[in-house]
Amino acid sequence: MAATSPRLLVRGLPGTQTTTTPVCIPIPAQSRRARFRRCHLSRSRDPNPVPEDPQAPPDSLRVAFACGGAGGHVYSAFALADELHASLPHSRSLFLGGPAPSLESSTAAASSYAFATVPPCLPRALLAAALHLHRFRPHVLVATGGPPSLPSCLAALLLGLPFVIQDQDAGPAPATRLLAPVAQRVFLAFNAPVRLLPKRKCAVYGNPVRMSIRNYLRVSKAAAMARFFPRAGPGCEEGAEVVLFLAGTLGSPEINVAVLNMYYEMLTTKKNRYLIWQTGPEDFCEMESLVRGHHRRLFLTP
């Protein structure tokens, strides 16, 4: 299906200008004790007040992002925020995510974006998200998946705020299927989920890529090979075949076991083949201990 320009999402909002290039605003596992933690609904002072930007114009575009859990959800949101601020420098962003220690909280701490926590308990999460959104008054909420996304979208719905969804997977998440009928737009990475969602709201744009990763495209192949395979020697980039395995932020045991069973054969059958294997932090030590020595054409990383 033909994708509709994402400029429709911000058309008519304060602080935006129509340009010839569309600005795309597409939109860890809990422990057993945390899973059964009791929810206490109490009125208390907000521990994460949204800071005001004195340099931002009063009519600047404000966008809230809800993300959490896996890296695909978190990094997609930050990639969109970076692109938004590169196009509209005076725009403001607020990230809603899980409390520390979490990937979204540490990523926000390393950036310049405001961050507010959404607790794991659904009733408290709904109240916290509604409070943050009411104070920040965003023009749109962008949900990229993870535990904080559902209560944030429900809070936006109760407050009458528009929200959009960006789903990175080949199959839509249960929360995406639940919220799609009331979302303004659903941005997808693949065509397959369109048949399971309201087609008139779907737009296929792929997954956002962070600016920091795009900057690496300027690095030469020789420099990249020297960085990942220093023992391979100079000139190894000529005719090199590099294979990348990604087990994800949390580390997929199925992917790691599959790579463990075939990596040695892949290296021995082709002398010009190089492997970069990202295991995830939890499986890294185990996979490293099971690898047969430290092959000069294998790069293992968490």
mmCIF file with all atom_site columns, all heavy atoms in Angstrom, residues 178-205:
data_model
loop_
_atom_site.group_PDB
_atom_site.id
_atom_site.type_symbol
_atom_site.label_atom_id
_atom_site.label_alt_id
_atom_site.label_comp_id
_atom_site.label_asym_id
_atom_site.label_entity_id
_atom_site.label_seq_id
_atom_site.pdbx_PDB_ins_code
_atom_site.Cartn_x
_atom_site.Cartn_y
_atom_site.Cartn_z
_atom_site.occupancy
_atom_site.B_iso_or_equiv
_atom_site.pdbx_formal_charge
_atom_site.auth_seq_id
_atom_site.auth_comp_id
_atom_site.auth_asym_id
_atom_site.auth_atom_id
_atom_site.pdbx_PDB_model_num
ATOM 1   N N   . LEU A 1 178 ? -4.083  -3.880  20.035 1.00 0.00 ? 178 LEU A N   1
ATOM 2   C CA  . LEU A 1 178 ? -5.113  -3.327  20.909 1.00 0.00 ? 178 LEU A CA  1
ATOM 3   C C   . LEU A 1 178 ? -5.315  -1.843  20.678 1.00 0.00 ? 178 LEU A C   1
ATOM 4   O O   . LEU A 1 178 ? -6.457  -1.347  20.646 1.00 0.00 ? 178 LEU A O   1
ATOM 5   C CB  . LEU A 1 178 ? -4.734  -3.600  22.370 1.00 0.00 ? 178 LEU A CB  1
ATOM 6   C CG  . LEU A 1 178 ? -5.637  -2.992  23.443 1.00 0.00 ? 178 LEU A CG  1
ATOM 7   C CD1 . LEU A 1 178 ? -7.012  -3.650  23.406 1.00 0.00 ? 178 LEU A CD1 1
ATOM 8   C CD2 . LEU A 1 178 ? -5.012  -3.155  24.823 1.00 0.00 ? 178 LEU A CD2 1
ATOM 9   N N   . LEU A 1 179 ? -4.210  -1.111  20.488 1.00 0.00 ? 179 LEU A N   1
ATOM 10  C CA  . LEU A 1 179 ? -4.274  0.345   20.411 1.00 0.00 ? 179 LEU A CA  1
ATOM 11  C C   . LEU A 1 179 ? -4.417  0.878   18.995 1.00 0.00 ? 179 LEU A C   1
ATOM 12  O O   . LEU A 1 179 ? -4.754  2.058   18.822 1.00 0.00 ? 179 LEU A O   1
ATOM 13  C CB  . LEU A 1 179 ? -3.015  0.946   21.049 1.00 0.00 ? 179 LEU A CB  1
ATOM 14  C CG  . LEU A 1 179 ? -2.817  0.685   22.538 1.00 0.00 ? 179 LEU A CG  1
ATOM 15  C CD1 . LEU A 1 179 ? -1.416  1.091   22.966 1.00 0.00 ? 179 LEU A CD1 1
ATOM 16  C CD2 . LEU A 1 179 ? -3.855  1.446   23.355 1.00 0.00 ? 179 LEU A CD2 1
ATOM 17  N N   . ALA A 1 180 ? -4.166  0.060   17.989 1.00 0.00 ? 180 ALA A N   1
ATOM 18  C CA  . ALA A 1 180 ? -4.192  0.540   16.601 1.00 0.00 ? 180 ALA A CA  1
ATOM 19  C C   . ALA A 1 180 ? -5.508  1.209   16.213 1.00 0.00 ? 180 ALA A C   1
ATOM 20  O O   . ALA A 1 180 ? -5.496  2.241   15.527 1.00 0.00 ? 180 ALA A O   1
ATOM 21  C CB  . ALA A 1 180 ? -3.862  -0.608  15.649 1.00 0.00 ? 180 ALA A CB  1
ATOM 22  N N   . PRO A 1 181 ? -6.681  0.676   16.609 1.00 0.00 ? 181 PRO A N   1
ATOM 23  C CA  . PRO A 1 181 ? -7.930  1.330   16.193 1.00 0.00 ? 181 PRO A CA  1
ATOM 24  C C   . PRO A 1 181 ? -8.096  2.755   16.699 1.00 0.00 ? 181 PRO A C   1
ATOM 25  O O   . PRO A 1 181 ? -8.796  3.553   16.081 1.00 0.00 ? 181 PRO A O   1
ATOM 26  C CB  . PRO A 1 181 ? -9.015  0.397   16.771 1.00 0.00 ? 181 PRO A CB  1
ATOM 27  C CG  . PRO A 1 181 ? -8.350  -0.928  16.911 1.00 0.00 ? 181 PRO A CG  1
ATOM 28  C CD  . PRO A 1 181 ? -6.942  -0.605  17.296 1.00 0.00 ? 181 PRO A CD  1
ATOM 29  N N   . VAL A 1 182 ? -7.467  3.112   17.829 1.00 0.00 ? 182 VAL A N   1
ATOM 30  C CA  . VAL A 1 182 ? -7.641  4.457   18.383 1.00 0.00 ? 182 VAL A CA  1
ATOM 31  C C   . VAL A 1 182 ? -6.389  5.318   18.187 1.00 0.00 ? 182 VAL A C   1
ATOM 32  O O   . VAL A 1 182 ? -6.358  6.464   18.627 1.00 0.00 ? 182 VAL A O   1
ATOM 33  C CB  . VAL A 1 182 ? -7.988  4.384   19.885 1.00 0.00 ? 182 VAL A CB  1
ATOM 34  C CG1 . VAL A 1 182 ? -9.389  3.828   20.070 1.00 0.00 ? 182 VAL A CG1 1
ATOM 35  C CG2 . VAL A 1 182 ? -6.965  3.555   20.654 1.00 0.00 ? 182 VAL A CG2 1
ATOM 36  N N   . ALA A 1 183 ? -5.360  4.783   17.535 1.00 0.00 ? 183 ALA A N   1
ATOM 37  C CA  . ALA A 1 183 ? -4.153  5.562   17.271 1.00 0.00 ? 183 ALA A CA  1
ATOM 38  C C   . ALA A 1 183 ? -4.352  6.441   16.039 1.00 0.00 ? 183 ALA A C   1
ATOM 39  O O   . ALA A 1 183 ? -5.166  6.130   15.155 1.00 0.00 ? 183 ALA A O   1
ATOM 40  C CB  . ALA A 1 183 ? -2.957  4.636   17.066 1.00 0.00 ? 183 ALA A CB  1
ATOM 41  N N   . GLN A 1 184 ? -3.607  7.542   15.973 1.00 0.00 ? 184 GLN A N   1
ATOM 42  C CA  . GLN A 1 184 ? -3.669  8.406   14.794 1.00 0.00 ? 184 GLN A CA  1
ATOM 43  C C   . GLN A 1 184 ? -3.052  7.730   13.579 1.00 0.00 ? 184 GLN A C   1
ATOM 44  O O   . GLN A 1 184 ? -3.559  7.848   12.472 1.00 0.00 ? 184 GLN A O   1
ATOM 45  C CB  . GLN A 1 184 ? -2.923  9.715   15.071 1.00 0.00 ? 184 GLN A CB  1
ATOM 46  C CG  . GLN A 1 184 ? -3.562  10.589  16.127 1.00 0.00 ? 184 GLN A CG  1
ATOM 47  C CD  . GLN A 1 184 ? -4.858  11.218  15.643 1.00 0.00 ? 184 GLN A CD  1
ATOM 48  O OE1 . GLN A 1 184 ? -5.940  10.824  16.066 1.00 0.00 ? 184 GLN A OE1 1
ATOM 49  N NE2 . GLN A 1 184 ? -4.760  12.161  14.736 1.00 0.00 ? 184 GLN A NE2 1
ATOM 50  N N   . ARG A 1 185 ? -1.943  7.044   13.785 1.00 0.00 ? 185 ARG A N   1
ATOM 51  C CA  . ARG A 1 185 ? -1.242  6.361   12.700 1.00 0.00 ? 185 ARG A CA  1
ATOM 52  C C   . ARG A 1 185 ? -0.395  5.244   13.290 1.00 0.00 ? 185 ARG A C   1
ATOM 53  O O   . ARG A 1 185 ? 0.076   5.353   14.424 1.00 0.00 ? 185 ARG A O   1
ATOM 54  C CB  . ARG A 1 185 ? -0.357  7.355   11.935 1.00 0.00 ? 185 ARG A CB  1
ATOM 55  C CG  . ARG A 1 185 ? 0.190   6.857   10.615 1.00 0.00 ? 185 ARG A CG  1
ATOM 56  C CD  . ARG A 1 185 ? -0.922  6.647   9.602  1.00 0.00 ? 185 ARG A CD  1
ATOM 57  N NE  . ARG A 1 185 ? -1.712  7.850   9.408  1.00 0.00 ? 185 ARG A NE  1
ATOM 58  C CZ  . ARG A 1 185 ? -1.392  8.811   8.559  1.00 0.00 ? 185 ARG A CZ  1
ATOM 59  N NH1 . ARG A 1 185 ? -0.284  8.726   7.852  1.00 0.00 ? 185 ARG A NH1 1
ATOM 60  N NH2 . ARG A 1 185 ? -2.179  9.859   8.418  1.00 0.00 ? 185 ARG A NH2 1
ATOM 61  N N   . VAL A 1 186 ? -0.181  4.189   12.528 1.00 0.00 ? 186 VAL A N   1
ATOM 62  C CA  . VAL A 1 186 ? 0.665   3.077   12.944 1.00 0.00 ? 186 VAL A CA  1
ATOM 63  C C   . VAL A 1 186 ? 1.763   2.924   11.899 1.00 0.00 ? 186 VAL A C   1
ATOM 64  O O   . VAL A 1 186 ? 1.486   2.595   10.741 1.00 0.00 ? 186 VAL A O   1
ATOM 65  C CB  . VAL A 1 186 ? -0.132  1.760   13.077 1.00 0.00 ? 186 VAL A CB  1
ATOM 66  C CG1 . VAL A 1 186 ? 0.795   0.619   13.519 1.00 0.00 ? 186 VAL A CG1 1
ATOM 67  C CG2 . VAL A 1 186 ? -1.282  1.921   14.050 1.00 0.00 ? 186 VAL A CG2 1
ATOM 68  N N   . PHE A 1 187 ? 3.000   3.179   12.298 1.00 0.00 ? 187 PHE A N   1
ATOM 69  C CA  . PHE A 1 187 ? 4.147   3.064   11.405 1.00 0.00 ? 187 PHE A CA  1
ATOM 70  C C   . PHE A 1 187 ? 4.782   1.689   11.601 1.00 0.00 ? 187 PHE A C   1
ATOM 71  O O   . PHE A 1 187 ? 5.075   1.295   12.727 1.00 0.00 ? 187 PHE A O   1
ATOM 72  C CB  . PHE A 1 187 ? 5.161   4.169   11.692 1.00 0.00 ? 187 PHE A CB  1
ATOM 73  C CG  . PHE A 1 187 ? 4.654   5.530   11.329 1.00 0.00 ? 187 PHE A CG  1
ATOM 74  C CD1 . PHE A 1 187 ? 4.058   6.337   12.283 1.00 0.00 ? 187 PHE A CD1 1
ATOM 75  C CD2 . PHE A 1 187 ? 4.763   6.007   10.032 1.00 0.00 ? 187 PHE A CD2 1
ATOM 76  C CE1 . PHE A 1 187 ? 3.588   7.591   11.960 1.00 0.00 ? 187 PHE A CE1 1
ATOM 77  C CE2 . PHE A 1 187 ? 4.286   7.257   9.693  1.00 0.00 ? 187 PHE A CE2 1
ATOM 78  C CZ  . PHE A 1 187 ? 3.704   8.054   10.651 1.00 0.00 ? 187 PHE A CZ  1
ATOM 79  N N   . LEU A 1 188 ? 5.005   0.989   10.506 1.00 0.00 ? 188 LEU A N   1
ATOM 80  C CA  . LEU A 1 188 ? 5.477   -0.390  10.545 1.00 0.00 ? 188 LEU A CA  1
ATOM 81  C C   . LEU A 1 188 ? 6.808   -0.526  9.829  1.00 0.00 ? 188 LEU A C   1
ATOM 82  O O   . LEU A 1 188 ? 7.147   0.264   8.941  1.00 0.00 ? 188 LEU A O   1
ATOM 83  C CB  . LEU A 1 188 ? 4.445   -1.319  9.905  1.00 0.00 ? 188 LEU A CB  1
ATOM 84  C CG  . LEU A 1 188 ? 3.040   -1.288  10.526 1.00 0.00 ? 188 LEU A CG  1
ATOM 85  C CD1 . LEU A 1 188 ? 2.056   -2.050  9.653  1.00 0.00 ? 188 LEU A CD1 1
ATOM 86  C CD2 . LEU A 1 188 ? 3.063   -1.857  11.945 1.00 0.00 ? 188 LEU A CD2 1
ATOM 87  N N   . ALA A 1 189 ? 7.554   -1.568  10.220 1.00 0.00 ? 189 ALA A N   1
ATOM 88  C CA  . ALA A 1 189 ? 8.827   -1.847  9.570  1.00 0.00 ? 189 ALA A CA  1
ATOM 89  C C   . ALA A 1 189 ? 8.665   -2.817  8.411  1.00 0.00 ? 189 ALA A C   1
ATOM 90  O O   . ALA A 1 189 ? 9.503   -2.850  7.510  1.00 0.00 ? 189 ALA A O   1
ATOM 91  C CB  . ALA A 1 189 ? 9.818   -2.416  10.586 1.00 0.00 ? 189 ALA A CB  1
ATOM 92  N N   . PHE A 1 190 ? 7.583   -3.611  8.405  1.00 0.00 ? 190 PHE A N   1
ATOM 93  C CA  . PHE A 1 190 ? 7.372   -4.629  7.387  1.00 0.00 ? 190 PHE A CA  1
ATOM 94  C C   . PHE A 1 190 ? 5.930   -4.563  6.876  1.00 0.00 ? 190 PHE A C   1
ATOM 95  O O   . PHE A 1 190 ? 5.050   -4.021  7.539  1.00 0.00 ? 190 PHE A O   1
ATOM 96  C CB  . PHE A 1 190 ? 7.652   -6.031  7.951  1.00 0.00 ? 190 PHE A CB  1
ATOM 97  C CG  . PHE A 1 190 ? 9.044   -6.184  8.519  1.00 0.00 ? 190 PHE A CG  1
ATOM 98  C CD1 . PHE A 1 190 ? 9.272   -6.003  9.880  1.00 0.00 ? 190 PHE A CD1 1
ATOM 99  C CD2 . PHE A 1 190 ? 10.118  -6.493  7.699  1.00 0.00 ? 190 PHE A CD2 1
ATOM 100 C CE1 . PHE A 1 190 ? 10.546  -6.134  10.410 1.00 0.00 ? 190 PHE A CE1 1
ATOM 101 C CE2 . PHE A 1 190 ? 11.398  -6.629  8.217  1.00 0.00 ? 190 PHE A CE2 1
ATOM 102 C CZ  . PHE A 1 190 ? 11.604  -6.453  9.573  1.00 0.00 ? 190 PHE A CZ  1
ATOM 103 N N   . ASN A 1 191 ? 5.721   -5.158  5.712  1.00 0.00 ? 191 ASN A N   1
ATOM 104 C CA  . ASN A 1 191 ? 4.385   -5.164  5.108  1.00 0.00 ? 191 ASN A CA  1
ATOM 105 C C   . ASN A 1 191 ? 3.457   -6.203  5.743  1.00 0.00 ? 191 ASN A C   1
ATOM 106 O O   . ASN A 1 191 ? 2.243   -6.029  5.731  1.00 0.00 ? 191 ASN A O   1
ATOM 107 C CB  . ASN A 1 191 ? 4.491   -5.449  3.607  1.00 0.00 ? 191 ASN A CB  1
ATOM 108 C CG  . ASN A 1 191 ? 5.092   -4.292  2.840  1.00 0.00 ? 191 ASN A CG  1
ATOM 109 O OD1 . ASN A 1 191 ? 4.667   -3.158  2.982  1.00 0.00 ? 191 ASN A OD1 1
ATOM 110 N ND2 . ASN A 1 191 ? 6.099   -4.568  2.037  1.00 0.00 ? 191 ASN A ND2 1
ATOM 111 N N   . ALA A 1 192 ? 4.022   -7.285  6.287  1.00 0.00 ? 192 ALA A N   1
ATOM 112 C CA  . ALA A 1 192 ? 3.203   -8.390  6.776  1.00 0.00 ? 192 ALA A CA  1
ATOM 113 C C   . ALA A 1 192 ? 2.184   -7.981  7.837  1.00 0.00 ? 192 ALA A C   1
ATOM 114 O O   . ALA A 1 192 ? 1.034   -8.448  7.800  1.00 0.00 ? 192 ALA A O   1
ATOM 115 C CB  . ALA A 1 192 ? 4.108   -9.512  7.300  1.00 0.00 ? 192 ALA A CB  1
ATOM 116 N N   . PRO A 1 193 ? 2.515   -7.117  8.812  1.00 0.00 ? 193 PRO A N   1
ATOM 117 C CA  . PRO A 1 193 ? 1.524   -6.805  9.859  1.00 0.00 ? 193 PRO A CA  1
ATOM 118 C C   . PRO A 1 193 ? 0.329   -5.999  9.381  1.00 0.00 ? 193 PRO A C   1
ATOM 119 O O   . PRO A 1 193 ? -0.647  -5.876  10.128 1.00 0.00 ? 193 PRO A O   1
ATOM 120 C CB  . PRO A 1 193 ? 2.339   -5.984  10.874 1.00 0.00 ? 193 PRO A CB  1
ATOM 121 C CG  . PRO A 1 193 ? 3.764   -6.269  10.581 1.00 0.00 ? 193 PRO A CG  1
ATOM 122 C CD  . PRO A 1 193 ? 3.822   -6.522  9.119  1.00 0.00 ? 193 PRO A CD  1
ATOM 123 N N   . VAL A 1 194 ? 0.378   -5.458  8.161  1.00 0.00 ? 194 VAL A N   1
ATOM 124 C CA  . VAL A 1 194 ? -0.707  -4.587  7.701  1.00 0.00 ? 194 VAL A CA  1
ATOM 125 C C   . VAL A 1 194 ? -2.035  -5.331  7.695  1.00 0.00 ? 194 VAL A C   1
ATOM 126 O O   . VAL A 1 194 ? -3.083  -4.767  8.033  1.00 0.00 ? 194 VAL A O   1
ATOM 127 C CB  . VAL A 1 194 ? -0.384  -4.033  6.297  1.00 0.00 ? 194 VAL A CB  1
ATOM 128 C CG1 . VAL A 1 194 ? -1.552  -3.240  5.743  1.00 0.00 ? 194 VAL A CG1 1
ATOM 129 C CG2 . VAL A 1 194 ? 0.863   -3.159  6.365  1.00 0.00 ? 194 VAL A CG2 1
ATOM 130 N N   . ARG A 1 195 ? -2.015  -6.610  7.348  1.00 0.00 ? 195 ARG A N   1
ATOM 131 C CA  . ARG A 1 195 ? -3.271  -7.369  7.237  1.00 0.00 ? 195 ARG A CA  1
ATOM 132 C C   . ARG A 1 195 ? -3.927  -7.598  8.597  1.00 0.00 ? 195 ARG A C   1
ATOM 133 O O   . ARG A 1 195 ? -5.119  -7.934  8.662  1.00 0.00 ? 195 ARG A O   1
ATOM 134 C CB  . ARG A 1 195 ? -3.011  -8.720  6.559  1.00 0.00 ? 195 ARG A CB  1
ATOM 135 C CG  . ARG A 1 195 ? -2.026  -9.590  7.311  1.00 0.00 ? 195 ARG A CG  1
ATOM 136 C CD  . ARG A 1 195 ? -1.688  -10.864 6.548  1.00 0.00 ? 195 ARG A CD  1
ATOM 137 N NE  . ARG A 1 195 ? -0.709  -11.674 7.255  1.00 0.00 ? 195 ARG A NE  1
ATOM 138 C CZ  . ARG A 1 195 ? -1.007  -12.546 8.207  1.00 0.00 ? 195 ARG A CZ  1
ATOM 139 N NH1 . ARG A 1 195 ? -2.279  -12.707 8.574  1.00 0.00 ? 195 ARG A NH1 1
ATOM 140 N NH2 . ARG A 1 195 ? -0.064  -13.238 8.803  1.00 0.00 ? 195 ARG A NH2 1
ATOM 141 N N   . LEU A 1 196 ? -3.182  -7.419  9.683  1.00 0.00 ? 196 LEU A N   1
ATOM 142 C CA  . LEU A 1 196 ? -3.722  -7.636  11.021 1.00 0.00 ? 196 LEU A CA  1
ATOM 143 C C   . LEU A 1 196 ? -4.147  -6.346  11.711 1.00 0.00 ? 196 LEU A C   1
ATOM 144 O O   . LEU A 1 196 ? -4.627  -6.381  12.843 1.00 0.00 ? 196 LEU A O   1
ATOM 145 C CB  . LEU A 1 196 ? -2.683  -8.348  11.894 1.00 0.00 ? 196 LEU A CB  1
ATOM 146 C CG  . LEU A 1 196 ? -2.172  -9.699  11.375 1.00 0.00 ? 196 LEU A CG  1
ATOM 147 C CD1 . LEU A 1 196 ? -1.038  -10.207 12.254 1.00 0.00 ? 196 LEU A CD1 1
ATOM 148 C CD2 . LEU A 1 196 ? -3.311  -10.711 11.314 1.00 0.00 ? 196 LEU A CD2 1
ATOM 149 N N   . LEU A 1 197 ? -3.968  -5.212  11.014 1.00 0.00 ? 197 LEU A N   1
ATOM 150 C CA  . LEU A 1 197 ? -4.241  -3.904  11.605 1.00 0.00 ? 197 LEU A CA  1
ATOM 151 C C   . LEU A 1 197 ? -5.148  -3.101  10.688 1.00 0.00 ? 197 LEU A C   1
ATOM 152 O O   . LEU A 1 197 ? -5.323  -3.463  9.514  1.00 0.00 ? 197 LEU A O   1
ATOM 153 C CB  . LEU A 1 197 ? -2.924  -3.155  11.839 1.00 0.00 ? 197 LEU A CB  1
ATOM 154 C CG  . LEU A 1 197 ? -1.897  -3.841  12.736 1.00 0.00 ? 197 LEU A CG  1
ATOM 155 C CD1 . LEU A 1 197 ? -0.566  -3.107  12.669 1.00 0.00 ? 197 LEU A CD1 1
ATOM 156 C CD2 . LEU A 1 197 ? -2.383  -3.935  14.170 1.00 0.00 ? 197 LEU A CD2 1
ATOM 157 N N   . PRO A 1 198 ? -5.752  -2.021  11.170 1.00 0.00 ? 198 PRO A N   1
ATOM 158 C CA  . PRO A 1 198 ? -6.557  -1.157  10.289 1.00 0.00 ? 198 PRO A CA  1
ATOM 159 C C   . PRO A 1 198 ? -5.693  -0.577  9.165  1.00 0.00 ? 198 PRO A C   1
ATOM 160 O O   . PRO A 1 198 ? -4.786  0.222   9.414  1.00 0.00 ? 198 PRO A O   1
ATOM 161 C CB  . PRO A 1 198 ? -7.045  -0.053  11.246 1.00 0.00 ? 198 PRO A CB  1
ATOM 162 C CG  . PRO A 1 198 ? -6.969  -0.654  12.612 1.00 0.00 ? 198 PRO A CG  1
ATOM 163 C CD  . PRO A 1 198 ? -5.798  -1.577  12.579 1.00 0.00 ? 198 PRO A CD  1
ATOM 164 N N   . LYS A 1 199 ? -5.961  -0.985  7.929  1.00 0.00 ? 199 LYS A N   1
ATOM 165 C CA  . LYS A 1 199 ? -5.079  -0.632  6.814  1.00 0.00 ? 199 LYS A CA  1
ATOM 166 C C   . LYS A 1 199 ? -5.013  0.871   6.580  1.00 0.00 ? 199 LYS A C   1
ATOM 167 O O   . LYS A 1 199 ? -3.972  1.394   6.191  1.00 0.00 ? 199 LYS A O   1
ATOM 168 C CB  . LYS A 1 199 ? -5.551  -1.338  5.539  1.00 0.00 ? 199 LYS A CB  1
ATOM 169 C CG  . LYS A 1 199 ? -5.374  -2.846  5.589  1.00 0.00 ? 199 LYS A CG  1
ATOM 170 C CD  . LYS A 1 199 ? -5.757  -3.490  4.263  1.00 0.00 ? 199 LYS A CD  1
ATOM 171 C CE  . LYS A 1 199 ? -5.530  -4.993  4.300  1.00 0.00 ? 199 LYS A CE  1
ATOM 172 N NZ  . LYS A 1 199 ? -5.879  -5.650  3.018  1.00 0.00 ? 199 LYS A NZ  1
ATOM 173 N N   . ARG A 1 200 ? -6.098  1.560   6.814  1.00 0.00 ? 200 ARG A N   1
ATOM 174 C CA  . ARG A 1 200 ? -6.113  2.998   6.535  1.00 0.00 ? 200 ARG A CA  1
ATOM 175 C C   . ARG A 1 200 ? -5.190  3.773   7.474  1.00 0.00 ? 200 ARG A C   1
ATOM 176 O O   . ARG A 1 200 ? -4.825  4.918   7.181  1.00 0.00 ? 200 ARG A O   1
ATOM 177 C CB  . ARG A 1 200 ? -7.543  3.538   6.644  1.00 0.00 ? 200 ARG A CB  1
ATOM 178 C CG  . ARG A 1 200 ? -8.149  3.389   8.024  1.00 0.00 ? 200 ARG A CG  1
ATOM 179 C CD  . ARG A 1 200 ? -9.602  3.829   8.062  1.00 0.00 ? 200 ARG A CD  1
ATOM 180 N NE  . ARG A 1 200 ? -10.181 3.657   9.381  1.00 0.00 ? 200 ARG A NE  1
ATOM 181 C CZ  . ARG A 1 200 ? -10.072 4.524   10.374 1.00 0.00 ? 200 ARG A CZ  1
ATOM 182 N NH1 . ARG A 1 200 ? -9.382  5.641   10.177 1.00 0.00 ? 200 ARG A NH1 1
ATOM 183 N NH2 . ARG A 1 200 ? -10.633 4.300   11.547 1.00 0.00 ? 200 ARG A NH2 1
ATOM 184 N N   . LYS A 1 201 ? -4.789  3.160   8.585  1.00 0.00 ? 201 LYS A N   1
ATOM 185 C CA  . LYS A 1 201 ? -3.913  3.840   9.534  1.00 0.00 ? 201 LYS A CA  1
ATOM 186 C C   . LYS A 1 201 ? -2.455  3.391   9.420  1.00 0.00 ? 201 LYS A C   1
ATOM 187 O O   . LYS A 1 201 ? -1.591  3.935   10.109 1.00 0.00 ? 201 LYS A O   1
ATOM 188 C CB  . LYS A 1 201 ? -4.395  3.594   10.967 1.00 0.00 ? 201 LYS A CB  1
ATOM 189 C CG  . LYS A 1 201 ? -5.749  4.229   11.257 1.00 0.00 ? 201 LYS A CG  1
ATOM 190 C CD  . LYS A 1 201 ? -6.065  4.183   12.734 1.00 0.00 ? 201 LYS A CD  1
ATOM 191 C CE  . LYS A 1 201 ? -7.366  4.922   13.035 1.00 0.00 ? 201 LYS A CE  1
ATOM 192 N NZ  . LYS A 1 201 ? -7.657  4.984   14.480 1.00 0.00 ? 201 LYS A NZ  1
ATOM 193 N N   . CYS A 1 202 ? -2.171  2.415   8.580  1.00 0.00 ? 202 CYS A N   1
ATOM 194 C CA  . CYS A 1 202 ? -0.831  1.838   8.510  1.00 0.00 ? 202 CYS A CA  1
ATOM 195 C C   . CYS A 1 202 ? 0.026   2.552   7.477  1.00 0.00 ? 202 CYS A C   1
ATOM 196 O O   . CYS A 1 202 ? -0.450  2.953   6.412  1.00 0.00 ? 202 CYS A O   1
ATOM 197 C CB  . CYS A 1 202 ? -0.904  0.345   8.174  1.00 0.00 ? 202 CYS A CB  1
ATOM 198 S SG  . CYS A 1 202 ? -1.660  -0.656  9.478  1.00 0.00 ? 202 CYS A SG  1
ATOM 199 N N   . ALA A 1 203 ? 1.296   2.683   7.780  1.00 0.00 ? 203 ALA A N   1
ATOM 200 C CA  . ALA A 1 203 ? 2.290   3.221   6.857  1.00 0.00 ? 203 ALA A CA  1
ATOM 201 C C   . ALA A 1 203 ? 3.588   2.468   7.090  1.00 0.00 ? 203 ALA A C   1
ATOM 202 O O   . ALA A 1 203 ? 4.044   2.348   8.223  1.00 0.00 ? 203 ALA A O   1
ATOM 203 C CB  . ALA A 1 203 ? 2.491   4.719   7.077  1.00 0.00 ? 203 ALA A CB  1
ATOM 204 N N   . VAL A 1 204 ? 4.151   1.912   6.027  1.00 0.00 ? 204 VAL A N   1
ATOM 205 C CA  . VAL A 1 204 ? 5.365   1.096   6.120  1.00 0.00 ? 204 VAL A CA  1
ATOM 206 C C   . VAL A 1 204 ? 6.569   1.970   5.775  1.00 0.00 ? 204 VAL A C   1
ATOM 207 O O   . VAL A 1 204 ? 6.706   2.415   4.634  1.00 0.00 ? 204 VAL A O   1
ATOM 208 C CB  . VAL A 1 204 ? 5.289   -0.125  5.191  1.00 0.00 ? 204 VAL A CB  1
ATOM 209 C CG1 . VAL A 1 204 ? 6.553   -0.969  5.313  1.00 0.00 ? 204 VAL A CG1 1
ATOM 210 C CG2 . VAL A 1 204 ? 4.054   -0.964  5.508  1.00 0.00 ? 204 VAL A CG2 1
ATOM 211 N N   . TYR A 1 205 ? 7.421   2.200   6.759  1.00 0.00 ? 205 TYR A N   1
ATOM 212 C CA  . TYR A 1 205 ? 8.592   3.070   6.586  1.00 0.00 ? 205 TYR A CA  1
ATOM 213 C C   . TYR A 1 205 ? 9.897   2.407   7.007  1.00 0.00 ? 205 TYR A C   1
ATOM 214 O O   . TYR A 1 205 ? 10.947  3.026   6.939  1.00 0.00 ? 205 TYR A O   1
ATOM 215 C CB  . TYR A 1 205 ? 8.419   4.362   7.391  1.00 0.00 ? 205 TYR A CB  1
ATOM 216 C CG  . TYR A 1 205 ? 7.602   5.409   6.689  1.00 0.00 ? 205 TYR A CG  1
ATOM 217 C CD1 . TYR A 1 205 ? 6.235   5.530   6.929  1.00 0.00 ? 205 TYR A CD1 1
ATOM 218 C CD2 . TYR A 1 205 ? 8.185   6.276   5.779  1.00 0.00 ? 205 TYR A CD2 1
ATOM 219 C CE1 . TYR A 1 205 ? 5.476   6.485   6.282  1.00 0.00 ? 205 TYR A CE1 1
ATOM 220 C CE2 . TYR A 1 205 ? 7.434   7.246   5.136  1.00 0.00 ? 205 TYR A CE2 1
ATOM 221 C CZ  . TYR A 1 205 ? 6.078   7.343   5.395  1.00 0.00 ? 205 TYR A CZ  1
ATOM 222 O OH  . TYR A 1 205 ? 5.330   8.300   4.749  1.00 0.00 ? 205 TYR A OH  1
#
